[in-house]
Amino acid sequence: MIWKGGVAGSMLMILAACDPAPIEPPLADAGSIARGKAAAQRLGCGACHELPGIDWPKGRIGPSLAGFGNRALIAGTLPNDLPRLAAFVADAPSLVPGSGMPAVPMDAGEAHDIAAWLQSQRD
Amino acid sequence: MILRPGSSLSVTSAGSGWPPAVFDPAGPYSEPVTTLAWALLLGGTAVFALVLAALGVALFGSAALKARLGGEKAIWIGGFAFPAVVLTGLLIWGLMLTSSLSATRVTGAEMRVKIIGEMWWWRVHYQDAEGRETLRDANELHIPVGKPVLLELETADVIHSFWVPRLGGKMDMIPGRTNRLLIQADKPGVYKGQCAEYCGGPHALMGFIVVAHTAEDFARWKASRVPARGEQGRGLELFLSSGCAACHTIRGTPATGLAGPDLTHVGSRQTLGAGILPNNPGTMAGWIADAQAIKPANRMPAYHQLSAEELLAVSEYLVRRK
């Protein structure tokens, strides 16, 4: 049994070594991610966006935010890092002039949590 | 289309959660309904247990027990006397308990409001003591605490049902009729309501809220219901030129459409789309641009012809209508 386990274990290690090593920022803490989802629901982000894990509403005017953590760019222009995403979530027009997304009143904590939640969407 | 419990958190800040609490009365016209509901629930459970016990005896009891259960005496008592006494008592008690709910005569002591159900929102016409209209609004009712509010309920199309469970009973809005309902809130707060009669398409998305204020706050709210005059700007220009004014009124402007909700004070409302979305610049823009994605089949078309800049100008203008 020990022998078999050792073989399986070493094979797993070999397989793991075959995975590409994605350079991903670490996830924010679970509390922040959960608060971010609740804040996105409370603020009604779904009026324009399809949101991962939220059944209704599924707005179509803005892009779906499913798998947002895999995206390289915010709104096709800005690097998708946490501080920039948080700033964009709260005040899109000041970062991307001409965006149809309005500035939405929220505090810095909410913006940070929503950004953390969006970046945790990596499916 | 279906508003599920987990999917409505977006309105928890505006209402008191979803679905509206039904066993949590907050005024004298809701308390008797709740008492009666508990009595029916518990009494019904007890009777159900008795029937099951009788069934158990009939299936598995001894021959002697079966004979007694099937005897003439048992049938007279259990099949006739018991239901006659219980149901008669329940009827008398229920009518006495809920007599205050049907005392919907105008006494002059109550606030008066006419509410008209539409597919799929609510017109709210505030009235003075004589029943003359004083102010038009939609989807949100403001009342002072501790005062009965007499609602005249009508419909513009199909049957709807007005229901704010924590403040009063449920009353159908029937074509050609004016039904009356009393509600009252004993504490300030926001009380969620919901159309309770299937009225087609997005019936489940036909919500309502009642905001109860202290007397001073209510007076302040009432005094603030004065439209801004002589206002101009790109938002209003776009509102008028894009067709919004064909269906919506903004008092103090040339916009006098009547098909949709009055938007004079839309920015002060706590919800959009009839109790279903929070009201902020984001949801306002989303609603204007594509209300059909949010509330399918509602009568407001998607405004895909607006550019991003125009959309933001119109929604910002509306959000400022406090």
Side-chain angles (χ1 to χ4, degrees):
Chain A
M1 288 305 282
I2 293 165
W3 171 240
K4 278 184 186 169
V7 171
S10 50
M11 283 177 75
L12 274 176
M13 284 172 74
I14 292 163
L15 284 173
C18 290
D19 274 346
I23 304 165
E24 282 185 347
L27 288 181
D29 69 283
S32 180
I33 291 169
R35 284 195 305 276
K37 182 178 180 182
Q41 285 184 299
R42 196 170 57 245
L43 290 165
C45 304
C48 296
H49 301 281
E50 189 171 332
L51 305 173
I54 296 176
D55 294 337
W56 177 92
K58 288 186 174 176
R60 296 179 295 218
I61 194 73
S64 165
L65 302 182
F68 197 87
N70 294 330
R71 290 197 204 158
L73 297 175
I74 304 163
T77 51
L78 298 168
N80 185 5
D81 60 40
L82 191 66
R84 258 182 277 219
L85 182 57
F88 180 84
V89 162
D91 189 0
S94 72
L95 288 171
V96 181
S99 166
M101 175 161 156
V104 179
M106 68 181 82
D107 62 43
E110 285 173 315
H112 173 273
D113 291 341
I114 292 172
W117 170 63
L118 287 174
Q119 291 201 330
S120 75
Q121 302 301 317
R122 292 175 185 175
D123 297 328
Chain B
M1 177 96 55
I2 298 161
L3 194 57
R4 297 199 197 115
S7 63
S8 61
L9 281 172
S10 51
V11 291
T12 46
S13 57
S16 46
W18 182 270
V22 285
F23 284 113
D24 187 17
Y29 299 109
S30 175
E31 257 154 33
V33 179
T34 307
T35 308
L36 192 61
W38 275 118
L40 289 176
L41 193 67
L42 297 176
T45 306
V47 170
F48 181 63
L50 276 176
V51 171
L52 277 191
L55 185 68
V57 168
L59 286 173
F60 311 112
S62 66
L65 273 178
K66 281 183 186 174
R68 282 182 68 184
L69 184 66
E72 200 174 310
K73 197 175 159 199
I75 290 173
W76 272 109
I77 293 173
F80 180 74
F82 179 78
V85 169
V86 168
L87 293 180
T88 308
L90 194 62
L91 179 67
I92 293 168
W93 178 67
L95 288 175
M96 283 164 57
L97 186 70
T98 57
S99 60
S100 66
L101 304 185
S102 49
T104 51
R105 280 177 301 113
V106 178
T107 65
E110 61 282 287
M111 174 177 161
R112 298 180 64 178
V113 184
K114 178 183 283 191
I115 299 182
I116 304 166
E118 300 255 353
M119 292 160 95
W120 292 269
W121 59 283
W122 318 82
R123 266 179 223 278
V124 178
H125 294 180
Y126 293 87
Q127 300 173 332
D128 62 15
E130 276 74 50
R132 288 179 300 240
E133 184 181 311
T134 56
L135 177 71
R136 287 189 177 193
D137 208 342
N139 300 333
E140 189 168 301
L141 172 63
H142 290 254
I143 62 173
V145 293
K147 185 172 187 174
V149 181
L150 180 60
L151 303 178
E152 285 180 18
L153 303 173
E154 296 177 1
T155 173
D157 36 54
V158 299
I159 301 177
H160 302 277
S161 186
F162 182 91
W163 192 33
V164 182
R166 297 191 66 201
L167 301 186
K170 188 190 285 177
M171 181 61 78
D172 279 4
M173 303 165 129
I174 295 171
R177 283 188 65 108
T178 301
N179 285 341
R180 286 178 167 175
L181 179 73
L182 280 162
I183 62 169
Q184 181 177 324
D186 285 341
K187 276 187 303 216
V190 178
Y191 301 93
K192 188 98 175 68
Q194 167 66 31
C195 179
E197 179 68 44
Y198 180 71
C199 54
H203 153 72
L205 299 176
M206 184 170 166
F208 188 77
I209 63 168
V210 177
V211 185
H213 304 272
T214 60
E216 306 83 67
D217 281 350
F218 182 71
R220 215 170 296 136
W221 173 84
K222 214 169 163 185
S224 70
R225 300 296 91 178
V226 179
R229 296 255 165 212
E231 209 186 5
Q232 283 169 350
R234 180 148 170 76
L236 176 59
E237 272 168 36
L238 283 162
F239 189 88
L240 296 172
S241 64
S242 306
C244 314
C247 293
H248 296 286
T249 292
I250 296 180
R251 278 177 288 123
T253 76
T256 53
L258 290 174
D262 186 304
L263 299 182
T264 309
H265 303 290
V266 67
S268 74
R269 282 187 207 140
Q270 303 203 12
T271 70
L272 283 184
I276 61 170
L277 286 173
N279 187 5
N280 63 46
T283 52
M284 183 67 87
W287 178 264
I288 295 168
D290 195 355
Q292 292 301 319
I294 299 164
K295 186 165 172 171
N298 90 83
R299 302 258 154 99
M300 170 137 168
Y303 270 74
H304 290 165
Q305 67 271 39
L306 295 174
S307 72
E309 181 269 321
E310 291 167 336
L311 176 63
L312 293 194
V314 175
S315 46
E316 197 198 314
Y317 167 72
L318 290 174
V319 167
R320 280 192 281 108
R321 306 294 86 220
K322 297 291 186 190

